[in-house]
Amino acid sequence: MRSTMIPSIGLTFAGAAQRIADLARDGLHHEYAPLEDKMLAAQPVTPLDVLAVLDRLLCPEIGLAGEGHRHAPALQRVRDALDTLLAGSEDADHGPFLADVRRWLKLEATIGAEGQDDADLIDSSEEAFRLAMQIATYDGNPTLAMAAKAILLWAGHPVACHPDSKPGALPFPPPVSAARKEDDALIFGLVADALRAVPELQVMLTSEAAVATESDDFGAAIASLADRAIPRTAPAVPTVITDAMVEAGATAAGCSPDAFRAGMTAALKMMEAA
Amino acid sequence: MSILQFHTDRGAPRPIHTEIHVERLTLRAAADWQQDIAAECRRRRALSADLFDWLERRGLFDRCTVLAAMEAETPLLFRRIGAPTVKVLGMGWSRSMIGQPEAADPHADYAHRIGLEYAEAIGAGEALFNRIAVTGVGRPFVYTQALFGWEDRGRRAVLSAIDVQTIH
């Protein structure tokens, strides 16, 4: 189940509602007010968006309920009814399942990290294995099930866990065009599909560019050799026949300068073709 | 100009007895320009076309041979053959070896022995320096090689900066 992105603030309705509630609780009026203005001005699309807007209207700190508005109790009942309907829908178990995925990624990132003792390592490994089995056997919504499995496979992919990438951060997959191998192309595409199908998974990846999305210096270096596979200067072939060369050659060979020049030109031609 | 002797009219080729003597030396024993190349490779760490451009600008690239494998577990292929090798083994051999693995080299013993040095340089990620004496491949010759290797997700490359000492 998804909440729509509000481009002007870079947050979803659900994300914005949460953020505003946190700021309001801390009394940070200057920070939540512009966010709330933009969120309430946006058009909700999905049930989660509607729920997020209702939550803002009913905020105990700054919403209608807080001001004792006489319509507030009715609005509260509408909100609760919507919440109940959503909870009963087939998407109800998304939350705990996604939490498992998030927890697994967190464990994978810390396994083997510096400062982790052996007991921690064993605990983390066992929990990660148990979670992976749980995620692998999940038979709820098939789109969610496939997407989550794709993310787990991606986390173990050599491009995703390249030693140069930021530790503990799972990168977005590089574009398919960046793949050098068929298998890589398929997994990059698969992960991109998973993120489109289940946008909630996107927050589990970092926006840090994967190493493979950077220019491929190694490949470019080797490719650049195609034009210089053999030194142009080897073997050294004179390109200009000087008068001094002709004179010395003609004297040594005992022929006319023109005959020597013709002979030298023919010989150089053969050398270039060799 | 090739110094290899080809026997085309004698039926089966005579088995060539190749002797290769590889002596590992410290880089301090290398020529200044070989040390410069090793220092530059070390400074840049990663392989890039910029390194080759740098070598070209300094007129050092002619003395360099490069082999690379673009996938894990595949053999190193000749990507560039430097002038010293062209001079010793000939332009025809050199042209035919571009894009070929070392194993395709008819001088198999020699290729195998030098291949071990390449593998070591790639594994080390550090400059290695060898003095190599060869008999049985063309005329006997002695050369030094400063090697630098790179590994990138299974892809490998090695640069060999060659200084020919003698051709007997």
Side-chain angles (χ1 to χ4, degrees), chain A residues 41-132:
Chain A
Q43 175 61 53
V45 180
T46 70
L48 269 189
D49 298 346
V50 175
L51 202 59
V53 172
L54 290 174
D55 277 341
R56 288 321 312 140
L57 297 177
L58 289 162
C59 173
E61 271 97 14
I62 52 174
L64 301 175
E67 291 167 10
H69 198 285
R70 68 190 186 92
H71 291 162
L75 198 59
Q76 182 69 49
R77 281 192 290 278
V78 169
R79 187 238 172 257
D80 292 346
L82 179 62
D83 197 28
T84 307
L85 288 171
L86 286 174
S89 74
E90 59 155 351
D91 290 337
D93 57 349
H94 276 196
F97 179 69
L98 287 169
D100 283 351
V101 175
R102 198 175 295 115
R103 173 81 185 140
W104 183 87
L105 288 172
K106 195 165 171 244
L107 286 168
E108 284 295 303
T110 54
I111 287 171
E114 276 181 46
Q116 195 180 39
D117 65 30
D118 288 354
D120 286 345
L121 180 66
I122 292 166
D123 287 350
S124 304
S125 305
E126 280 177 357
E127 192 188 347
F129 178 75
R130 190 178 53 73
L131 281 171

Side-chain angles (χ1 to χ4, degrees), chain A residues 151 154 159 171-176 187-193 195 205 210 213:
Chain A
I151 294 297
W154 169 236
V159 171
F172 283 94
V176 169
I187 192 102
F188 295 171
L190 178 65
V191 177
D193 291 346
L195 296 175
L205 280 67
T213 61

